[in-house]
Structure formats: structure tokens, C-alpha cells
Amino acid sequence: MRKFLAAAIASAYLAFSPGVQAQTPPNVLVVGQIAEPKALDPQAVTAVNDFRILMNIYDGLVRYKDGTLEVEPALAESWTISDDGTAYTFKLREGVTFHDGTPFDAAAVKFNFDRMLKEDHPFHDTGPFPLAFFFSSVEEVVVDDPTTVTFKLNAPYAPFLSNLAYPTGLIVSPSAVEANGKDFGRHPVGTGAYKFAEWDANTKVVAVRNDDYWDGTPELEAIIFRPITDANTRIAEMLSGGLDVMVEVPPDSLQQFKSDDNFEVLEQAGPHVWFLILNAKEAPFNNKAARQAANYAINKTALVENILQGTADVAAGPTPPAFAWAYNEGLEPYPYDPEKAKELLKDAGYDGEEITFYVTEGGSGMLDPIAMGTAIQADLQAVGMNVKIETYEWNTFLGKVNPGLEGKAAMAEMAWMTNDPDTLPFLALRTEAFPDKGGFNSGYYSNPKVDDLLDKARQVTDQAERAKLYQEMQTIVQEDAPWVFVANWKQNAVTKSSVGDFKLQPSFFLMLQDVKKPN
């Protein structure tokens, strides 16, 4: 039935026929995404582009409260935490079923986390699970009874609940994993407001309404997620009526949509940082002076004001200011100082050798990556660096960057949108997060003091004490300059004016359960 409905929706949608005036079908929301999803297994992917789909197909034990990064109940009705902070017991919502009709219960929760965390689990090979780091403190998941589950941790872990609300904590159907094995990511089954119906590669992902959703039946009949990598094509589709919603509007087009009564533009600050990964293992960036030189050489204010047209602020360090309680207000961005950059390059012994710079065509939070990459190349060349750009499609780009830059490139663009001040530095700046250890420290930065601060911050439950640790970490990382700190983005989206109750979230996810589209 779901496949029939998906086919009917797709046939009603004329936007896929070149030259035909596009119209979206009644009560079906068509969302213009920035790239093809990599997979629809929430525990196997890392990109916000994929998460925007997944959050509507699955639920977690907890979720972020509307408009915040505060945690509230979802599949778990309530929870208790032991006095020593090492045991979290969740009381599960009763009567919930997965889209395949199988029951959601404590055994399903245990299956999900054991699949990620235990190498001897029979379905661990359905990974890899790149963000399993989020739950590295989990020692055991215990089924107390069908509606009660306890997570036993090896130490107190302050970000635990926040990480459960992240897409890596979404709960998948064990039966569907067992039936589909490594292909589960093409056949997703959750408990969410919408059921997966169809994935037509590079064209659309269709999800249809879950009439039995535990949190109320959604208004929309279905959602079509369309991957449109080229920003100009995405804009043209929005203007012609082929899309109801478009995420990550290029700065050049924002004013055009703002001045048109047929559209509504939404903007929302959130925890985002756009940066350049510098390969600290190989010359020239194995020298701190060269890394600092890159930070001085790049005119970040020009990038933000001219290319991004004020849709972002210059970044001062690795932690986004959206995490106000943990942000180090005392840090100032590296100023634009080409002469200082030249001096530092000389001190570093850089002799003009060619360096490779990986640039992506697009991707989650990457803003205007080709234009930004070209401007960065020009700034570096102006101080004597011989920079060669290699440009790749987003998923290909991730396949080159995430395994590490050693032997391939000196630098690469990157952007992260995160849920907690722990997440990005823990996964991308610790020594134990090198790619060969399963992390995202693709530039091989290592500082034992930073490692120690991050480990301590995870175990401190007092927020003020955590803040001091994160702020000290930011000071050290800014000085070490493992990245070029470029921008903190204010996310945006545009909708048709007829779309109701659409909101942007500080998590950067799309929560479409309450969206309306009058016929």
C-alpha cells in the first residue's frame, strides 16, 4: 500500500519532467535538499542532510523540545538517574509499534545500542557506526522488564541525554535490521510520524503519513525529499512551484525571496562552525606557525560580508557562540594580517611547495563552498602559498576527508552542526579521535592537555565547572590552530507562503510532524 501511494504521489508531481511548469501535489510537502542522502540508517550516518529526513521517520527515547536544545520525553515517558550519575533508567511509552508492526519495547532499545557498541553483536556488521562515540560511556544496556530499560555507564557522562536526542540515538526496528542486514539503510523502519515508502536514487525519498503515530496523526499525507545539489537549480525549482520548502538558501537569493509575498523566509541561529581542517601530520601544517599563518592570511570578514552577505559571523574558535554557557567570550577571531602570515610562513620554513585543498560542491552547513574555497585559495596565494583546489560532490568529498588527509591533502573545508559543546571537539580534536580509531580528527591534531580537558568535561555534572573546562580548551585550540576558524552560520530556509507551522530548529533538523499545507 505504501509503495502504491508513493507511486501515486510521484506521478502527480510534474516537477520531474523537464520543461513542464512544476506543481506540488495537494497535502504533500516537497522539500528541496542539498544532496542525496548517504543512507537512512540513523546510526550509520553523520550528515545533517540525512538527519533532516531521519527525524521524521524515527523517534528516540528523548528529543529536543521545540525551539530549544533542551531534552524532553519521546519514546521514554520518564527517566531517573542514579546518585553517582552512572545509571539512567527509562520508563518506556506503552503501545507503540514500529512501522512494520513489531512492538517497541526495552528489548528493541537494547538491540539498537548493542548493535552499535558490541563488536560481537550479530548485526554489528550492518555498520560502521561513525558516531557510536556518542555512547562510548555505555557499559551495558539492561532490560529490566518490557517497558523499563537501564543504561549502565562506566563513569558519569554529562552529555548523555543530549546525545540520546541526537539522530544517532534514534530507535530502529530490530526486525527490519534482521530482515535487511546491510541493506537496512535503504529500507528504514522506525516509529516516527512518517513511514518510509520509496527511495529513487538521486531523485526523491518519499515518506507517507503514519496514521497510528503515538504523538498524534500528522496533517500532511506525505513528504517528498528531493536532492538538488546545484543551488541555482534548487532556487529555480522553488520559484517555479516545484518545491514547498527549500533549505540552505544561498545568500544571493535571500532578498529575492524576502521581497516576494509568495514566499516566507525563516532564519535561526544555531550551533554551527565552518572551518578548514589543516593536516597537522605533514608539511607545511605540521608546524604551528604555518597553521597560524593560514588563520592570519584568510580574510574571514570579507568571506562573511561579501560571499555570505551577512548570513554568518566570523568564528573565533572551535565552539559555536550558540552554546552561550560554554562559549569563551574572551576569544577574538584571528585578524586579517597578510604580513604577519608571511612572517609566520617564513618562520615555519615553508618554501612554496604545492599544497592540495579539498573543496566540496555542497553539503550540510557548507554554505557557499566553491566560492569560499576560491576566495581562500586567493588569500593564501597572496601570502606565497601554492594552493591547488580539488573539488568533489559531497558524499565523495566525505569519503576522502573522513578517513584522514595524510598523503592526500594539506587542508579541507568542513562544517559541523552539533548538539552539545562536547560533540565537535571530542569527535574531531582528540588524539583518540584519529580516523584510524574511528573518529573525525582528519587533520591529526594532538594535544594531551586538550584531551584531558575534554575527558574531564564529560564527567562533570556541574554546568559552571564544565564551562570552565570548555573555555580553557577553546583558548588552547585557538592558539594551536589545528583549523582555520572561519564562520558561524545563521541557518535559513524558504517556504511557500501557503505552508503553515513550519519552523527552523536550533538543532538544524527538520521537524515536520506539525506542518500544514492547505489544499
Side-chain angles (χ1 to χ4, degrees), residues 250-274:
D252 282 343
S253 301
L254 274 177
Q255 192 54 48
Q256 179 181 9
F257 287 112
K258 285 179 178 178
S259 61
D260 190 329
D261 291 341
N262 293 309
F263 302 101
E264 181 179 356
V265 173
L266 299 95
E267 296 175 284
Q268 162 81 51
H272 168 278
V273 60
W274 198 105

Side-chain angles (χ1 to χ4, degrees), residues 99-146:
H99 299 151
D100 58 9
T102 59
F104 163 74
D105 55 19
V109 175
K110 179 175 173 60
F111 177 99
N112 272 254
F113 289 90
D114 285 355
R115 177 174 80 117
M116 267 195 292
L117 300 172
K118 293 186 178 296
E119 292 185 4
D120 61 352
H121 189 271
F123 292 94
H124 185 73
D125 65 353
T126 57
F129 307 110
L131 296 184
F133 265 131
F134 276 33
F135 305 109
S136 58
S137 63
V138 175
E139 203 163 64
E140 186 181 7
V141 182
V142 178
V143 175
D144 299 312
D145 61 51

Side-chain angles (χ1 to χ4, degrees), residues 16 30-38 49-50 53 199-206 224-230 233-234 237 243 393 395:
F16 300 116
V30 182
V31 180
Q33 292 267 88
I34 59 174
E36 172 80 347
K38 183 177 180 180
N49 181 68
D50 299 5
I53 302 173
W199 183 351
D200 185 0
N202 298 303
T203 302
K204 64 183 181 296
V205 171
V206 181
I224 299 174
F225 297 92
R226 290 189 57 200
I228 307 175
T229 303
D230 180 72
T233 303
R234 210 157 60 244
E237 287 277 13
L243 300 174
E393 175 273 333
N395 286 319

Side-chain angles (χ1 to χ4, degrees), residues 63-343:
R63 63 189 179 190
Y64 297 124
K65 189 176 180 180
D66 184 33
T68 77
L69 290 173
E70 298 173 20
V71 172
E72 69 175 8
L75 289 176
E77 291 184 321
S78 62
W79 59 88
T80 58
I81 306 171
S82 64
D83 291 341
D84 65 358
T86 63
Y88 287 69
T89 299
F90 294 86
K91 186 65 178 175
L92 305 182
R93 198 173 297 277
E94 297 186 39
V96 177
T97 59
F98 290 102
H99 299 151
D100 58 9
T102 59
F104 163 74
D105 55 19
V109 175
K110 179 175 173 60
F111 177 99
N112 272 254
F113 289 90
D114 285 355
R115 177 174 80 117
M116 267 195 292
L117 300 172
K118 293 186 178 296
E119 292 185 4
D120 61 352
H121 189 271
F123 292 94
H124 185 73
D125 65 353
T126 57
F129 307 110
L131 296 184
F133 265 131
F134 276 33
F135 305 109
S136 58
S137 63
V138 175
E139 203 163 64
E140 186 181 7
V141 182
V142 178
V143 175
D144 299 312
D145 61 51
T147 61
T148 312
V149 64
T150 296
F151 289 77
K152 294 185 177 180
L153 311 186
N154 55 26
Y157 178 42
F160 183 63
L161 285 173
S162 179
N163 285 354
L164 281 177
Y166 205 69
T168 314
L170 294 172
I171 304 298
V172 310
S173 163
S175 297
V177 173
E178 291 166 359
N180 294 288
K182 293 182 180 181
D183 290 330
F184 173 74
R186 302 289 302 195
H187 305 279
V189 178
T191 61
Y194 294 91
K195 303 179 183 181
F196 171 77
E198 180 186 5
W199 183 351
D200 185 0
N202 298 303
T203 302
K204 64 183 181 296
V205 171
V206 181
V208 300
R209 179 170 56 210
N210 177 7
D211 291 324
D212 299 319
Y213 187 47
W214 62 267
D215 201 22
T217 304
E219 294 277 344
L220 297 169
E221 183 179 352
I223 306 169
I224 299 174
F225 297 92
R226 290 189 57 200
I228 307 175
T229 303
D230 180 72
N232 290 327
T233 303
R234 210 157 60 244
I235 292 163
E237 287 277 13
M238 192 74 210
L239 290 169
S240 69
L243 300 174
D244 298 304
V245 175
M246 171 183 164
V247 296
E248 301 194 26
V249 184
D252 282 343
S253 301
L254 274 177
Q255 192 54 48
Q256 179 181 9
F257 287 112
K258 285 179 178 178
S259 61
D260 190 329
D261 291 341
N262 293 309
F263 302 101
E264 181 179 356
V265 173
L266 299 95
E267 296 175 284
Q268 162 81 51
H272 168 278
V273 60
W274 198 105
F275 57 99
L276 301 179
I277 304 170
L278 303 180
N279 180 352
K281 185 176 276 192
E282 299 170 330
F285 295 128
N286 58 350
N287 189 300
K288 182 168 76 171
R291 299 194 300 270
Q292 291 178 335
N295 274 278
Y296 284 113
I298 295 169
N299 190 341
K300 295 173 284 293
T301 299
L303 290 174
V304 164
E305 292 181 354
N306 299 334
I307 294 176
L308 301 181
Q309 298 185 39
T311 59
D313 296 317
V314 174
T319 299
F323 294 126
W325 65 269
Y327 183 66
N328 190 334
E329 295 281 357
L331 292 185
E332 293 290 337
Y334 276 86
Y336 175 53
D337 191 339
E339 295 307 313
K340 178 75 169 175
K342 290 176 184 177
E343 291 175 14

Side-chain angles (χ1 to χ4, degrees), residues 337-351:
D337 191 339
E339 295 307 313
K340 178 75 169 175
K342 290 176 184 177
E343 291 175 14
L344 287 167
L345 286 174
K346 185 177 179 180
D347 293 344
Y350 174 69
D351 61 4

